[in-house]
Amino acid sequence: MTHPFLDLPPLSAARFASIEDRVARLMSTEQDVVIMQGEALLPLEGAIRGCAGPGTTALNVITGPYGQTFGNWLRDCGATVHDLAVPFHTAVTAEQVREALAAHPETDFVSLVHAEAATGNTNPVTEIGAVVREHGALFYLDAVASIGAEPVLPDAWGVDLCVIGAQKAMGGPAGVSAVSVSERAWARMAANPGAPRRSYLSLLDWKERWIDGGRTTLLHAPAQLEMLALEACVERIEAAGLDTVMARHRSAAAATRAGASALGGGLEPFVTESTAAAPVATTLRTPSGVIASELVARALAAEPALPLAAGGGALAKEMIRVNHYGPDASRESVAACLAALAAALRASGVTTDPEAAHRAATEAWPEN
């Protein structure tokens, strides 16, 4: 028997390259863009291991769990790492980055997460990028959660390694990801004897065997279904318009914050300042005495498909995440999440006002 997902002609190198070009346009970059055949942790780790070594001094900004992971990878490469950690309910400032670089002038690598979907904050990369450029360090950015929800502009920001994934705001597949690489970053990798080579983690393999060869021969059999899903995902964003897609995420975030604040019962935004709140996901702090993981489980028992999750690790006790990714950045999804949380809180003995929450969410969503 035949099946539309299985009986497909092989994905050609030309089509693979055309998908890369469309992703590059989505990122507004003239840098080389490599689509890697795995979830975004693959290029995130590969970029660090390609550029960092015993001679590297890194400033690693921690605004959530991924920043902690990057510091671990950098140390594993032998780099000297200075962590700049801020509370997870806020964002780092450009001035804090400037002060950290002044305290460690030998720093030649800066790692930062743009938007932390896990904690719901987003960092001011425009201002931070200017500080990093002035210092002269290589700039590594995790934009996996932010792409599609807010501007991602590696060239304008001076980002040397910008990693994106399609599974969050883009509303696409999780099995492929991409990284833009500047000439400075390629040079750093080429000079690094510890950079992965002949490895699935190797960006240099893609540079030497794919890009330098004119993108005519793929390194290995591509993840065909995921690549086609990525192509369809980018087509959908192009058809709607990137500005429209980003505006929808901003509206969903604003409506969720407003609705949660009006719901009452002690539920409140986890990220205290709206300017530091990520458009891709809204995090909420539960009322005293209410365990976030139990509240989410109660809400999902009634409606399992809702984009709700409890925080990870210690945050599972106090934080709820409303994931308005891609198609879930909609009025209907926000309203359903607020209603489910209201019902779950009531079942926990907490008094809420779901009508007020619905009105506040509706008023916070612009008509246009």
Side-chain angles (χ1 to χ4, degrees), residues 94 153 178 208 295 320 336 338 351:
L153 305 168
E208 295 167 0
L295 189 69
I320 294 169
L338 290 171
T351 301

Side-chain angles (χ1 to χ4, degrees), residues 24-68:
R25 288 194 293 272
L26 185 69
M27 299 172 71
S28 299
T29 185
E30 297 295 325
Q31 298 177 4
D32 291 327
V33 169
V34 176
I35 297 179
M36 298 193 77
Q37 305 298 281
E39 199 271 338
L41 284 172
L42 176 63
L44 285 168
E45 182 174 358
I48 282 181
R49 295 194 181 278
C51 290
T56 302
T57 300
L59 174 65
N60 179 51
V61 181
I62 300 176
T63 60
Y66 281 101
Q68 294 170 326

Side-chain angles (χ1 to χ4, degrees), residues 122-323:
T122 191
N123 293 300
V125 185
T126 303
E127 294 84 357
I128 292 170
V131 172
V132 176
R133 279 200 307 274
E134 180 182 335
H135 186 81
L138 210 67
F139 192 13
Y140 163 102
L141 185 70
D142 171 354
V144 174
S146 52
I147 185 71
E150 53 188 307
V152 173
L153 305 168
D155 293 9
W157 294 340
V159 178
D160 296 286
L161 296 152
C162 184
V163 177
I164 68 165
Q167 72 269 31
K168 291 191 168 72
M170 289 177 64
V176 287
S177 49
V179 54
S180 63
V181 187
S182 72
E183 289 300 323
R184 291 201 317 156
W186 283 132
R188 178 79 67 94
M189 286 184 225
N192 179 10
R197 290 169 169 82
R198 295 170 297 283
S199 163
Y200 210 58
L201 281 170
S202 177
L203 284 168
L204 282 174
D205 286 357
W206 283 96
K207 165 72 170 163
E208 295 167 0
R209 297 171 54 194
W210 170 245
I211 295 172
D212 291 350
R215 298 192 300 174
T216 58
T217 304
L218 288 161
L219 274 64
H220 45 71
Q224 173 146 322
L225 296 181
E226 287 81 0
M227 288 296 295
L228 295 176
L230 176 61
E231 183 181 49
C233 166
V234 174
E235 285 178 352
R236 185 167 61 184
I237 293 172
E238 290 172 346
L242 179 58
D243 288 344
T244 298
V245 174
M246 292 191 294
R248 191 165 64 236
H249 282 83
R250 288 195 303 271
S251 296
T256 304
R257 284 179 69 87
S261 297
L263 185 61
L267 192 69
E268 59 185 19
F270 184 84
V271 178
T272 51
E273 298 294 331
S274 60
T275 54
V280 69
T282 297
T283 48
L284 304 171
R285 193 183 299 275
T286 53
S288 176
V290 176
I291 304 301
S293 58
E294 295 175 0
L295 189 69
V296 168
R298 190 173 293 116
L300 293 179
E303 293 193 57
L306 288 177
L308 293 172
L315 292 175
K317 292 183 177 181
E318 61 176 324
M319 193 183 80
I320 294 169
R321 194 170 73 240
V322 183
N323 298 323

Side-chain angles (χ1 to χ4, degrees), residues 28-125:
S28 299
T29 185
E30 297 295 325
Q31 298 177 4
D32 291 327
V33 169
V34 176
I35 297 179
M36 298 193 77
Q37 305 298 281
E39 199 271 338
L41 284 172
L42 176 63
L44 285 168
E45 182 174 358
I48 282 181
R49 295 194 181 278
C51 290
T56 302
T57 300
L59 174 65
N60 179 51
V61 181
I62 300 176
T63 60
Y66 281 101
Q68 294 170 326
T69 297
F70 301 158
N72 293 338
W73 286 339
L74 286 161
R75 290 182 177 91
D76 190 53
C77 291
T80 299
V81 182
H82 302 288
D83 288 326
L84 170 56
V86 302
F88 288 179
H89 64 269
T90 187
V92 72
T93 67
E95 188 55 34
Q96 288 173 311
V97 173
R98 186 186 301 278
E99 291 171 359
L101 291 173
H104 305 286
E106 71 280 15
T107 298
D108 59 3
F109 188 94
V110 174
S111 51
L112 175 71
V113 178
H114 186 186
E116 284 269 11
T119 49
N121 55 37
T122 191
N123 293 300
V125 185

